[in-house]
Amino acid sequence: MRAETVVQLPPPPPPHGHPNQFALLKQRRFAPFFWTQFSGAAYQLSVSWLPPALAGLVIGALFILPFLLFSATSGQLTDKYEKTRVIRFVKNLEIVIMGVAAAGFLSSDVNLQVPLLLACTFLMGLHSTLFGPVKFAYLPQALNERELTGGNGMVEMGTFVAILLGNIVGGLMVAVPGVGPLYVALSCVLLAVAGRVVAQFIPSAPATDPDLKINWNPVTETWHNLRLAYGNIVVFRSMLGISWMWFFGAVFLSQFPSFAKEVMHGNEQVASLLLVVFSIGIATGSLLCEVLSRRHVEIGLVPLGAIGMSVFAIDLYFASRGLPSSPIMGLASFVAQPAHWRVMADLTLLSLFAGLYSVPMYALIQLRSQPTHRARIIASNNILNALFMIVSAILAGALLKADFSIPQVFLFVGLANAVVAFYIFMLVPEYLLRFIALIASRCIYRFKVQGDDNIPAQGAAVLTCNHVSFIDPLLLMAASPRPIYFVMDHRIFRMPVLGWLFRLARAIPIAPRDQDPATYEAAFEAAARVLRNGDLLAIFPEGGITRDGELQPFKGGIMKILENAERDGLNVPVVPMALTNLWGSFFSRIEQGGAMVRPFRRGLLSRVGLNAGPAMAAAQVQPDTLRARVLALQKT
């Protein structure tokens, strides 16, 4: 492949340009890409079909080996070259691989068939190694931030549905007497050709680093890419979180055949049913992400997903450990027993929460990675995924050898998931904070946001808002797709529970200059540092929570922040915002008493809102002018 001049992708539509993620299937920037990757996933299990003697570790090792050898090179190629050309190259390679697979399926000579199908397994690993980085690097170029979660959810859903269909249809075709292998061989080749034809309609996606010099050494380049990722600690630890999800999922997927036979006393059809419910759960959870995230990259879903993964993995142990011994059952006998429905429900919900866990993490990596080396970071993520899957296979084997039952292995992994997830969320508090903000805006209040398009998607900005309650920062967090650093009253910062959360969020405490000059000056220096780093800074210019529900006069701190930004050579926009209908709720003060004294004084799930107005240039901002903007938004 060589570099070439390409046509820029068509600009994404406005943020509200389509009603939901399924509407992306009607748009050229997504639909051909979706069906291209769908066709690539559909036959992966069918192609991996081999005689039983060759199943297990050999096939797994052959499939994973290319990830370790070629991921670093794949990421570089994707960053250096136009992405649509890379996709078409991979689809051309796919046709060749399917030709090898067809020859293997049709060969009557076992001495030839076995090497061909083993070679095909390795080549399919190479195919996935090449396609993974370009697949996930294409999405953030084709979709805007509000579409990224839905787009990733569609891709995740499509992948598992395609694998499921490939497994079912391939199994039906190969069972046809006499001509089954021929049907499978022809289907694989035709599907590859169809995928290549559809790939021709994917719009061009320009190279993000066309001057990159390829380093062909996979060891040094992998280390270099991991260091690039580590430069953004949230991205790097999200990579570890995704790799843990693959560790977790690999344990269940690898044990399905044994679990179905030895624990559930079912035949191959029962094992296929377990795969079906697992795939349906993943697909459903992936699609739910856009709905639950309000079409933002909402990493608050990740702790929710982790909780569900542990809860239902642990319940799967209790649901399956006491099943009575019985002869091997077929599908009809299996589903006729009520105890088995709990097992299937656990598997469905476990995988559903895994979808909620993984999709926002993938979207976050895409959103927060530097475009110039995004594909290389994704390639590094794939290497970590492969390593974690290898470790998971070794650990599962060691546990089974130590006389753990399969349900006990599931219990161990479920408990380990809770420990690992808690550790990750303590390392990256943003996940936990977003989760708490999600709970506050969905379970305590019915929170409606208007004008959130006015919150800049990138670059430094100052968000200014009226101050009504003790959880105002959490509601602003829930409304913004980006992290926010808050300047807040030092007394709130020191509160027992909420203060711990705000310290976790690295909020900036401020005190009046005449009370604590050191804290006052340190707050403005910390605020300047936030803006220099290109982040969002939020302040409550009233200086404290309202005691009567009315908007108080704005203090001059906003002007000092803007003056410091100008000193640093920054022209920082100011976004006026107003919380509405929050006065009188549990976390606000009331005229007859303090806050947090009557839990249900406004009832459950009372309606509150946030209105964000157009950004003001720093030169336009004066305390009175800004207050007037916020007051107008408050009455909207």
Side-chain angles (χ1 to χ4, degrees):
M1 294 181 293
R2 56 183 175 81
E4 64 171 19
T5 302
V6 295
V7 180
Q8 178 66 277
L9 275 171
H16 300 288
H18 58 82
N20 56 54
Q21 56 206 1
F22 292 102
L24 289 171
L25 292 175
K26 299 178 182 178
Q27 300 184 27
R28 187 187 167 196
R29 62 199 170 97
F30 184 79
F33 166 79
F34 175 83
W35 293 115
T36 297
Q37 68 87 30
F38 185 93
S39 68
Y43 45 61
Q44 286 188 12
L45 289 184
S46 297
V47 170
S48 300
W49 177 83
L50 288 170
L54 296 174
L57 292 177
V58 174
I59 296 174
L62 282 173
F63 189 82
I64 289 177
L65 184 60
F67 285 91
L68 303 178
L69 295 178
F70 304 116
S71 284
T73 303
S74 174
Q76 292 178 90
L77 294 173
T78 300
D79 279 334
K80 182 175 178 63
Y81 296 104
E82 191 270 317
K83 291 176 179 55
T84 306
R85 287 201 69 202
V86 177
I87 291 173
R88 292 169 186 163
F89 172 82
V90 174
K91 299 306 284 187
N92 289 336
L93 175 64
E94 187 179 297
I95 295 174
V96 174
I97 296 171
M98 291 304 101
V100 174
F105 279 122
L106 296 176
S107 175
S108 57
D109 183 353
V110 175
N111 292 327
L112 178 62
Q113 183 186 54
V114 169
L116 284 176
L117 291 178
L118 288 175
C120 181
T121 302
F122 178 85
L123 290 172
M124 280 308 299
L126 175 62
H127 170 277
S128 297
T129 301
L130 295 172
F131 192 63
V134 71
K135 174 172 73 172
F136 287 111
Y138 173 86
L139 285 173
Q141 281 190 247
L143 307 177
N144 62 40
E145 186 272 334
R146 294 186 69 100
E147 299 167 323
L148 200 53
T149 295
N152 276 279
M154 290 291 289
V155 168
E156 191 86 349
M157 176 276 297
T159 298
F160 277 88
V161 169
I163 290 174
L164 182 60
L165 289 175
N167 188 49
I168 294 172
V169 175
L172 292 174
M173 286 192 298
V174 80
V176 177
V179 293
L182 175 63
Y183 286 176
V184 172
L186 288 175
S187 297
C188 288
V189 173
L190 290 175
L191 198 57
V193 171
R196 176 60 183 87
V197 171
V198 175
Q200 196 64 33
F201 296 94
I202 301 175
S204 296
T208 52
D209 193 2
D211 298 325
L212 174 68
K213 293 183 178 179
I214 303 294
N215 174 12
W216 299 100
N217 185 322
V219 177
T220 59
E221 183 60 24
T222 296
W223 180 249
H224 173 67
N225 292 342
L226 288 173
R227 291 185 64 187
L228 281 176
Y230 192 76
N232 186 327
I233 200 66
V234 173
V235 168
F236 181 76
R237 287 171 176 163
S238 297
M239 290 165 54
L240 293 178
I242 289 174
S243 297
W244 171 257
M245 191 274 294
W246 282 105
F247 177 104
F248 180 92
V251 170
F252 288 88
L253 289 171
S254 65
Q255 297 302 318
F256 273 167
S258 299
F259 180 69
K261 181 179 181 180
E262 298 172 16
V263 179
M264 307 305 296
H265 313 294
N267 61 10
E268 294 82 358
Q269 292 179 329
V270 172
S272 296
L273 175 64
L274 298 182
L275 177 63
V276 167
V277 299
F278 192 88
S279 300
I280 290 173
I282 285 276
T284 304
S286 300
L287 293 177
L288 280 175
C289 287
E290 185 183 66
V291 177
L292 296 176
S293 67
R294 290 195 177 114
R295 301 183 65 190
H296 281 302
V297 176
E298 180 50 84
I299 60 174
L301 294 175
V302 176
L304 177 64
I307 292 169
M309 288 161 64
S310 283
V311 167
F312 292 106
I314 293 169
D315 191 68
L316 181 61
Y317 162 75
F318 289 106
S320 58
R321 66 172 182 161
L323 295 175
S325 180
S326 66
I328 296 298
M329 291 177 282
L331 189 60
S333 300
F334 179 82
V335 298
Q337 298 193 23
H340 296 159
W341 283 90
R342 179 180 171 186
V343 171
M344 290 189 290
D346 281 335
L347 282 174
T348 303
L349 291 170
L350 178 154
S351 56
L352 183 150
F353 280 97
L356 293 179
Y357 176 95
S358 64
V359 168
M361 276 196 173
Y362 274 115
L364 181 72
I365 290 174
Q366 293 163 348
L367 190 65
R368 301 275 182 93
S369 298
Q370 281 290 105
T372 51
H373 50 263
R374 183 185 286 133
R376 280 169 280 173
I377 287 177
I378 293 168
S380 300
N381 177 62
N382 290 343
I383 294 174
L384 289 176
N385 294 169
L387 291 173
F388 271 63
M389 291 172 71
I390 291 171
V391 173
S392 113
I394 295 172
L395 178 62
L399 290 174
L400 292 171
K401 193 170 183 180
D403 293 328
F404 275 61
S405 66
I406 294 176
Q408 286 173 335
V409 171
F410 293 165
L411 175 65
F412 176 86
V413 174
L415 293 172
N417 179 69
V419 174
V420 170
F422 180 78
Y423 177 69
I424 290 174
F425 302 146
M426 288 297 99
L427 284 178
V428 189
E430 189 181 344
Y431 284 105
L432 182 60
L433 292 166
R434 299 286 306 194
F435 174 64
I436 295 170
L438 189 72
I439 296 298
S441 62
R442 304 296 177 84
C443 300
I444 298 175
Y445 298 114
R446 283 179 291 173
F447 186 47
K448 182 178 181 181
V449 181
Q450 294 184 349
D452 52 334
D453 300 340
N454 293 313
I455 301 174
Q458 56 187 2
V462 178
L463 311 181
T464 59
C465 189
N466 59 325
H467 207 355
V468 188
S469 79
F470 287 93
I471 64 165
D472 292 352
L474 293 177
L475 295 177
L476 265 62
M477 283 183 201
S480 171
R482 298 172 57 193
I484 302 175
Y485 295 85
F486 292 89
V487 178
M488 63 173 53
D489 189 296
H490 66 110
R491 291 165 295 185
I492 297 177
F493 188 80
R494 295 188 178 100
M495 290 180 66
V497 177
L498 292 176
W500 173 78
L501 289 175
F502 297 140
R503 283 191 292 275
L504 205 60
R506 291 176 291 173
I508 302 167
I510 190 169
R513 177 187 284 173
D514 57 355
Q515 293 182 17
D516 191 342
T519 299
Y520 177 84
E521 293 299 334
F524 284 105
E525 180 51 40
R529 189 162 53 248
V530 168
L531 297 177
R532 285 196 297 268
N533 291 337
D535 293 320
L536 295 179
L537 178 74
I539 67 169
F540 301 100
E542 295 167 275
I545 297 175
T546 179
R547 293 183 177 275
D548 59 6
E550 299 298 324
L551 187 65
Q552 307 302 307
F554 281 12
K555 298 185 177 181
I558 178 66
M559 303 309 299
K560 186 174 177 66
I561 288 172
L562 295 178
E563 288 168 8
N564 289 344
E566 186 178 3
R567 175 201 65 192
D568 294 331
L570 301 174
N571 185 16
V572 179
V574 177
V575 181
M577 312 173 81
L579 288 161
T580 61
N581 203 37
L582 197 58
W583 173 251
S585 66
F586 174 64
F587 290 98
S588 80
R589 295 189 175 103
I590 56 175
E591 295 178 9
Q592 294 79 23
M596 296 177 281
V597 291
R598 287 167 48 200
F600 303 109
R601 66 191 184 200
R602 280 265 299 266
L604 294 172
L605 294 175
S606 60
R607 292 182 181 275
V608 300
L610 176 73
N611 298 328
M616 302 171 63
Q620 299 177 313
V621 175
Q622 291 294 328
D624 290 344
T625 306
L626 185 60
R627 181 181 181 278
R629 292 281 187 98
V630 173
L631 185 61
L633 290 167
Q634 195 177 14
K635 296 178 179 179
T636 300

